[in-house]
Every structure is written in structure tokens, then in C-alpha cells.
Amino acid sequence: QVQLVESGGGLVQPGGSLRLSCVCSGFTFSSYTMGWYRQAPGGQREFVAVISRVGYTTYANSVKGRFTISRDNAKNTVYLQMNSLKPEDTAVYFCKGTATQPREYAYWGQGTRVTVSS
């Protein structure tokens, strides 16, 4: 079955760093665009970062320069390196895989919670 399992969340102080991982199975990882989204308490799910099949990246303005998305196709894993964390980064972070051929379809992980607080 298709699975996207996030890990690496936790409690970190402002200015700290955290690395999230999303291990995927049940689909051809290398054929999917991978992304990270987040949802703050009481908020809407928002785009954070995306990486194409060949490594092109795009970031939300709110995280640009602080976060880095990467992927390891050999490990079926996408990562989100988060540096200079702010309290506003507190959210549940979700991994997303999107196929564009032959049809567009997306898979979502269950999320991992990140709390940035003193």
C-alpha cells in the first residue's frame, strides 16, 4: 500500500534547526514531485517547499533562505532541513507526492508536529 511516513518533528527553540524526513513506499518515488506543506494550529494548510523529479526547488516566501528541500531517490525519501526556526514555523508538517503522468494524482503523509518555542 502507498505510505508516506514523516518523522523528525519535535520541540525546538527559536533559532534552532530541525530536519524532517518522509519515507515513501508503494509508488514509484522517482516519478513523483515531492513537497512539504504545513498547517498551524487553527490555520489552513499552506505550501512550504517542492522539489521536482530532477531536483528543481521552489519555496514559500516565508521560509526561503531558511529551509532546504532535498530528495534521495535511492532511499525513497524527501527531506526538509529547517534552520533559523521561528515560533511562526510551529505547525504539523505534511509530506506530499504528486504524479503528473499519465494522470495527476497526489498522496499525503500523516504529518509530523514541529513546535518552536522557548
Side-chain angles (χ1 to χ4, degrees):
Q1 297 299 316
V2 170
Q3 288 189 310
L4 293 78
V5 182
E6 301 98 330
S7 63
L11 176 64
V12 65
Q13 294 184 341
S17 297
L18 213 56
R19 191 194 196 201
L20 306 184
S21 298
C22 175
V23 179
C24 303
S25 61
F27 64 97
T28 306
F29 179 84
S30 61
S31 297
Y32 280 65
T33 294
M34 301 301 301
W36 288 95
Y37 293 73
R38 67 187 183 186
Q39 188 166 10
Q44 296 184 317
R45 191 167 298 186
E46 65 177 2
F47 167 78
V48 175
V50 67
I51 184 166
S52 77
R53 296 165 58 231
V54 294
Y56 294 107
T57 59
T58 304
Y59 299 90
N61 289 334
S62 58
V63 307
K64 193 172 184 179
R66 300 187 298 120
F67 291 10
T68 302
I69 187 171
S70 61
R71 67 191 296 161
D72 186 338
N73 287 345
K75 295 181 178 179
N76 289 348
T77 303
V78 61
Y79 305 93
L80 185 67
Q81 178 66 48
M82 305 185 295
N83 299 325
S84 302
L85 283 162
K86 305 174 180 179
E88 307 93 270
D89 296 319
T90 295
V92 176
Y93 284 72
F94 298 90
C95 177
K96 179 186 179 184
T98 305
T100 58
Q101 300 292 338
R103 297 179 180 181
E104 183 167 308
Y105 196 81
Y107 297 114
W108 290 87
Q110 82 291 341
T112 185
R113 187 176 299 276
V114 172
T115 302
V116 184
S117 176
S118 298

